[in-house]
Amino acid sequence: MSTTRKRLFIKTYGCQMNVYDSERMKDVLTPLGYESSDTPDGADLVILNTCHIREKAAEKVYSELGRLRPLKDEKAASGGMTIAVAGCVAQAEGAEIMRRAPVVDLVVGPQTYHKLPELIAQAHRAKGEALDTEFEVEDKFDKLGSDRQVEGYSAFVTVQEGCDKFCTFCVVPYTRGAEWSRPVDQIIAEIRALAAKGIREVTLLGQNVNAFHGAPPSGREADGAWGLGQLVRHVALIGGIERIRFTTSHPRDMDEDLIQAFADTPKLMPYFHLPVQSGSDTILKAMNRQHVAADYLATIARLREVRPDIAISGDMIVGFPGETDADFEATMELVRQVNYASCFSFKYSKRPGTPGAAMFNQIDEGVKSQRLAALQALLDSQQVAFNESMIGKTLPVLFEKPGRLDGQLHGRSPYLQSVHVDGPAELIGQIAEVAIETASRNALSGRLVGTKRSAA
Ligand code: SF4
């Protein structure tokens, strides 16, 4: 295996699972001599790690490939540039990409990127034959191992992939395959190795993370699969790991054990992302969400009962086919009841191949825009109020890096808010108490109080 230094540029689109996948691709390629570059200019290998969630995802990939073509031509005289398309667009449209974009040397799906070294070699030998979009998720994690290169103090760890729920607006079940969970031992080994490298906070990732049902540490099927609550408690035992989060959850998979984990595991942060998408039962049914608004509200109430300091974030879609004014008002009412700390909100847009795209009762774009503006005004006011409610409180902050100003530090609160304080650089990588003095829509600031709470 050659270890000549080569430059690697990865452009990551979409969700945190793609961010994790990009990091693991770097891990796989480092032994081949690839070093990260922050520009595609002069790179030996460019990977577009694509996302299929947004509208016109494939078109965006083709435009990016168009921009890469002259760079590839320039690099032809000095070793050449290999261009790879990875991720969910690759999974959905791999063969079409190879056909339509000759600039692409290889296409790799989300479950086979551990094979990048052999696909690159194959692409160098025979252009146009390096395509791998199989669903071999178990093999992938075995091959990747637990050794990761990490920077900073927080890391994502994929624990579950895929989805069987088939919400009618979503492409994930088609691009990421059926639900699958990593074995507990494999996850724990990865997190132990991360802790040894200074990671203090882990976010357990999955398209349906709370559907997690991993093989138990004993390896014996008879002992039963572990749920996410059990996994969280086990991760909390790992020395050095101070904070645990998980995302993205589905309301239907919230079991009592996971809710109890918020009560009995202080390291599990009191900030929980639980998408609902709509407050109307009619629309939830049309979306195939398999629950009603009251179920969601009951789960939130139960979480608040067991962990009174918990804050909730969510996802909302407006303008799903058939959404009436009354349906939209039900969404607004649910938002008022939940009182979100933050919430992503989008206009519905068709994803090719999903049932929603074929529904006849699509909503006018102007109506969608009006509804989104009204919803976002409400969500913004809730977010500002939530941040302002922090003033006067003392929060533990994990300091990540220097702030923009001299002598300033930047960190994160338990609620993922950016926090700025004046303080010594030695606090970077540690958790210390901060008395919050000011708040804006996106950040808090305050002053250090007391002594540090944990050492890096
Ligand atoms: S639960 Fe629904 S929205 Fe989430 S990944 Fe599965 S199909 Fe998509």
Side-chain angles (χ1 to χ4, degrees):
M1 182 184 295
S2 160
T3 51
T4 319
R5 282 154 58 112
K6 289 170 272 206
R7 291 180 54 216
L8 164 68
F9 174 74
I10 304 185
K11 180 161 182 170
T12 307
Y13 302 79
C15 67
Q16 290 149 327
M17 295 198 67
N18 266 15
V19 174
Y20 175 86
D21 287 350
S22 291
E23 285 174 9
R24 303 306 320 256
M25 285 188 232
K26 278 183 208 161
D27 294 340
V28 166
L29 293 167
T30 300
L32 276 75
Y34 285 98
E35 290 176 353
S36 286
S37 161
D38 47 19
T39 163
D41 291 82
D44 298 280
L45 173 60
V46 172
I47 301 176
L48 303 181
N49 191 12
T50 61
C51 169
H52 210 290
I53 290 285
R54 296 276 159 264
E55 207 175 7
K56 302 194 177 111
E59 280 69 24
K60 283 180 192 146
V61 173
Y62 288 117
S63 335
E64 188 65 35
L65 290 170
R67 284 191 284 277
L68 289 173
R69 184 194 302 269
L71 300 182
K72 182 167 177 142
D73 291 344
E74 273 170 37
K75 189 78 173 56
S78 57
M81 175 188 284
T82 303
I83 296 181
V85 179
C88 293
V89 175
Q91 183 67 43
E93 307 188 23
E96 174 70 4
I97 291 170
M98 295 298 281
R99 192 185 64 74
R100 250 182 79 179
V103 71
V104 174
D105 299 286
L106 67 104
V107 168
V108 58
Q111 306 311 353
T112 44
Y113 59 74
H114 58 288
K115 293 187 188 166
L116 267 169
E118 72 190 70
L119 285 167
I120 291 167
Q122 195 181 330
H124 289 168
R125 284 197 304 271
K127 163 104 183 69
E129 287 178 17
L131 167 75
D132 198 332
T133 51
E134 296 297 312
F135 280 121
E136 301 166 59
V137 65
E138 296 169 46
D139 195 34
K140 174 177 79 173
F141 284 108
D142 280 345
K143 296 275 170 23
L144 286 170
S146 57
D147 188 27
R148 292 175 53 184
Q149 300 156 54
V150 283
E151 288 169 16
Y153 304 95
S154 303
F156 296 129
V157 176
T158 292
V159 302
Q160 180 279 336
E161 292 206 3
C163 179
D164 301 331
K165 299 215 166 46
F166 292 91
C167 298
T168 52
F169 54 82
C170 184
V171 291
V172 164
Y174 310 98
T175 58
R176 291 268 178 165
E179 276 176 12
W180 181 83
S181 301
R182 291 177 74 185
V184 170
D185 271 353
Q186 199 185 62
I187 296 164
I188 296 297
E190 185 172 329
I191 298 176
R192 281 213 184 100
L194 290 170
K197 290 184 172 180
I199 291 297
R200 295 288 161 260
E201 173 178 294
V202 286
T203 302
L204 311 177
L205 294 180
Q207 265 101 22
N208 259 270
V209 72
N210 59 342
F212 177 81
H213 56 282
S218 66
R220 288 192 302 268
E221 250 177 60
D223 292 341
W226 278 29
L228 190 61
Q230 278 173 291
L231 180 66
V232 162
R233 291 186 190 93
H234 211 62
V235 172
L237 299 175
I238 298 176
I241 297 299
E242 302 285 343
R243 290 180 163 191
I244 304 166
R245 305 177 188 276
F246 58 86
T247 197
T248 298
S249 299
H250 191 291
R252 222 193 57 179
D253 292 321
M254 283 307 295
D255 63 22
E256 183 59 24
D257 186 56
L258 184 55
I259 291 173
Q260 279 302 325
F262 279 100
D264 60 35
T265 314
K267 288 182 180 178
L268 181 57
M269 291 292 96
Y271 186 49
F272 182 43
H273 184 64
L274 191 61
V276 64
Q277 312 298 0
S278 172
S280 154
D281 289 346
T282 311
I283 297 301
L284 288 171
K285 190 157 192 282
M287 287 175 164
N288 192 32
R289 293 289 290 176
Q290 304 170 47
H291 66 87
V292 293
D295 299 332
Y296 180 83
L297 291 169
T299 300
I300 302 290
R302 182 84 190 106
L303 284 161
R304 286 181 165 149
E305 199 180 321
V306 305
R307 186 83 180 250
D309 62 343
I310 202 164
I312 305 296
S313 71
D315 289 345
M316 216 58 84
I317 294 172
V318 299
F320 189 77
E323 186 187 71
T324 62
D325 286 344
D327 292 321
F328 176 64
E329 179 47 34
T331 293
M332 295 290 274
E333 182 50 31
L334 180 139
V335 169
R336 284 182 210 109
Q337 287 190 44
V338 173
N339 195 13
Y340 286 99
S342 87
C343 184
F344 299 103
S345 51
F346 308 94
K347 285 193 276 188
Y348 171 75
S349 61
K350 293 181 189 175
R351 304 286 180 270
T354 59
M359 289 180 185
F360 67 94
N361 45 1
Q362 303 288 327
I363 303 296
D364 175 80
E365 282 302 314
V367 172
K368 284 187 204 170
S369 299
Q370 280 169 11
R371 288 178 183 167
L372 187 65
L375 175 62
Q376 289 187 336
L378 176 59
L379 290 170
D380 275 0
S381 69
Q382 292 185 346
Q383 182 168 336
V384 169
F386 177 71
N387 285 353
E388 287 177 348
S389 74
M390 298 291 130
I391 296 172
K393 289 189 176 150
T394 297
L395 296 178
V397 173
L398 172 57
F399 289 104
E400 296 171 331
K401 57 186 181 185
R404 262 188 252 138
L405 306 177
D406 263 1
Q408 198 186 48
L409 300 178
H410 174 274
R412 295 269 173 196
S413 76
Y415 305 105
L416 279 178
Q417 295 144 309
S418 289
V419 182
H420 299 107
V421 296
D422 288 336
E426 304 86 74
L427 277 182
I428 293 174
Q430 299 181 4
I431 295 174
E433 302 282 343
V434 174
I436 303 300
E437 294 173 329
T438 65
S440 66
R441 185 181 181 282
N442 295 313
L444 307 176
S445 64
R447 67 190 157 74
L448 287 167
V449 290
T451 51
K452 70 183 187 189
R453 285 196 34 210
S454 79

